[in-house]
Amino acid sequence: MKNIVFVGINSRFNHVNLAIRSIDAYIKSNSKFYSNDYQLILKNFTISEPLIKILRGIILEKPDLIIFSTYIWNSLLVFEVIDEIKKILPNCLVGVGGPEVSFDCETILKQRQSLDFIVTGEGELTDMEVCDSISQIKEDGSEFKRIASEKLSEIKGVWSRQYNSSIAFGGIRDIFDSLDKLIFPYSDQDGNLLLDISPDYSIIYYESSRGCPFKCSYCLSSVDKTVRFMSLEKVYKHLTFFMKNNVKLVKFVDRTFNLNEERYTSIWNFIKNHWNGKTTFHFEIAVEYLSEKALDLIKNIPYGMMQFEIGIQTTNKETLKAIGRNSDFSKISKILAKIPKTIHVHLDLIAGLPFESPKEFKDSFNYTILQRPQMLQFGFLKILHGTLMEQFANQYEDYKWLSVPPYEVLQSPWVTYSQMQHFKDLDEVIDSFYNSQNFSVTMNYLLNLADDNKIDMFSFFEDFALYYKTKKYSGLPHKVSSLFEYFYDFINNAEVDTMHYKSGLGSLLPEEYLVIKELLRFDFIRREKPGTYPSWYIRYYDKDSHRNALEKFTNIRSTRESFTYSAYEEFYINPLESRPVWSNNREKLLILYKKTLSLGVLSKTHLRFEESECILYKD
């Protein structure tokens, strides 16, 4: 019996590799040779694990055939592992599949002498034929390799190295006409979640469609324009499984989920009617295609049920034309404003695109952040093999990018290397101080100032990035409490040194600086009950007022429990207002860190966050 190993080397420990699981499930359900002539073994690692550990984990399985799932983030490590495997198992057959190796296969095989074959296109049927065919070879050693190479040359979708060192291609494999032919990869024989997947920590990837009709020049999905769907009956069954097993996060990998209104609204409606109160479903959508029917459907969606990832990428018209996108940003703004705040929204930007200088990128950034997404994902253009962007970039001498994964742009004809590195500094500050949501109330106030043209958000983060770099904080891990200290210090510097801030911070009124500092205090205390209070935090605490507030707004079971899971603070603003103003009188606030303590009555003096509830009150 042959041992066949499928290997996934993931970017993080909690990422679940959909590809090898889907192929594994398909083969086990459809192969007439599986279990009698070969067994399948799935091995999952992460890119942070030592090479020697990955090597040992694979070789101990005594494999006859190994196939690696290969992506932009793991390909260099995959090929390192393959080279080392061949030192120990020279007659083991080793192949790769995945988007990173789907183009220039002949060149890859010539460059990677330890590699025996490449699977292109959809892997389920092709890999099954590879496994079935190889399992029938009875010979060992070099004769096994010779016969295997002959068999591989006849399989559609496979590029292989022949025994005489020539390269053979078995021909193009037809794609599945229906995704109902796929086998659900996450369930065991008893209908339970597989034991190696954690419902609480694993990020589960799920596909209900394949292909994309759009032609974004930088994206490999644009190559396959044939969109195919799984039946709604099957999708509903799978969604029920996820919710029954209390899976925390399911990410749909459909390239554009909201293509067919009847289909995607039906799926959302099913989730809405059967939601378990725990599972979050993540969708990548084209916001322009959200219909009024869809917006009405999600109007009262509970918090935590859905996440949307939306690609803005750029607002520059010349850039949009060059990359094959067509966007109406007036329409996009109106639709984004209608998405309820209970849905976590990610908006994406890409730096390094054609015809986008720092000035145009600044415009794209300011438009995007003023849409108030919960997360602004800051990407950098990658010149991927086989894309139209690769053809475009090759026409310009000043387009420079990494020749190895991740193929990231180093400079373009419109952005110098130095400017691109400046964008990297911005990215770090945005991730720590905006995307973290630790400063969401303070950030909302700054966005209001930007709406009023008092500050410029791109320049604000430029100023912050310069401060961060000058203080030598860049590139280092920091506690959340330290980030609050840095933010407070940055605001103090801007207030004192008004001449060196491009964002407009230097022209703010004294009262506006005071409001920002009060909001930083509020963001700090609303997150979690402080064990200690930092030196920058000015505390106004009164134990009797704390007790009075608890008696008024909670069902106190014990004094100790109530004080443990609550805090009391006073502010010279009303931090629950969207546009707070400075006052000489302090407002009193009760913060409850455990929702079970609260009566849960929402009002204009009551604001609920994911981690706390804040109640403004009068004695």
Side-chain angles (χ1 to χ4, degrees), residues 389-444:
M389 181 56 67
E390 183 183 35
Q391 298 176 30
F392 178 90
N394 278 323
Q395 299 175 34
Y396 291 86
E397 185 178 345
D398 288 338
Y399 244 128
K400 306 292 183 183
W401 62 93
L402 291 172
S403 56
V404 296
Y407 311 113
E408 189 173 290
V409 166
L410 301 172
Q411 68 177 43
S412 78
W414 303 274
V415 180
T416 66
Y417 176 79
S418 177
Q419 289 166 335
M420 196 66 75
Q421 297 314 299
H422 176 58
F423 291 161
K424 290 279 186 181
D425 295 336
L426 286 175
D427 181 37
E428 181 180 6
V429 171
I430 290 161
D431 209 42
S432 296
F433 295 94
Y434 185 87
N435 291 342
S436 68
Q437 294 293 299
N438 290 324
F439 306 89
S440 59
V441 181
T442 307
M443 282 295 169
N444 185 65

Side-chain angles (χ1 to χ4, degrees), residues 60-187:
L60 285 178
E61 300 295 344
K62 300 180 179 179
D64 299 286
L65 168 66
I66 308 169
I67 302 179
F68 289 83
S69 178
T70 314
Y71 295 88
I72 194 170
W73 63 81
N74 72 2
S75 62
L76 291 178
L77 181 55
V78 164
F79 288 123
E80 284 185 47
V81 173
I82 291 173
D83 287 342
E84 301 305 324
I85 282 174
K86 284 302 181 106
K87 292 178 182 178
I88 308 301
L89 302 173
N91 293 316
C92 178
L93 207 62
V94 180
V96 294
E100 179 56 20
V101 292
S102 296
F103 299 91
D104 295 330
C105 298
E106 186 172 2
T107 300
I108 294 172
L109 283 167
K110 288 178 179 178
Q111 292 174 343
R112 307 286 183 178
Q113 291 298 310
S114 298
L115 184 64
D116 296 306
F117 67 96
I118 299 173
V119 175
T120 63
E122 296 177 336
E124 286 84 2
L125 186 54
T126 303
D127 278 326
M128 185 179 76
E129 290 186 11
V130 169
C131 294
D132 287 354
S133 181
I134 299 306
S135 71
Q136 300 309 298
I137 302 173
K138 306 305 180 185
E139 290 77 6
D140 296 322
S142 60
E143 188 65 8
F144 167 77
K145 289 288 295 292
R146 184 188 66 78
I147 297 172
S149 68
E150 292 177 358
K151 287 180 174 289
L152 288 172
S153 69
E154 301 171 354
I155 299 175
K156 289 184 177 181
V158 175
W159 287 82
S160 59
R161 186 191 314 282
Q162 297 303 288
Y163 204 64
N164 62 5
S165 296
S166 64
I167 307 298
F169 179 49
I172 298 173
R173 165 81 62 184
D174 291 336
I175 59 177
F176 285 133
D177 55 357
S178 169
L179 295 198
D180 280 6
K181 294 179 179 179
L182 300 177
I183 307 300
F184 187 64
Y186 296 120
S187 173

Side-chain angles (χ1 to χ4, degrees), residues 98 193 208 240 254 292 331 341 417 512 530:
L193 186 68
S208 72
T240 300
D254 305 39
E292 287 299 324
K331 180 180 180 181
K341 296 302 180 185
Y417 176 79
E512 291 166 329

Side-chain angles (χ1 to χ4, degrees), residues 209 211-214 227 229 255-261 264 286 289:
S209 69
C212 182
F214 301 112
V227 182
F229 298 101
R255 300 313 302 159
T256 306
F257 179 78
N258 60 320
L259 289 173
N260 181 303
E261 181 191 56
Y264 79 81
Y289 294 89

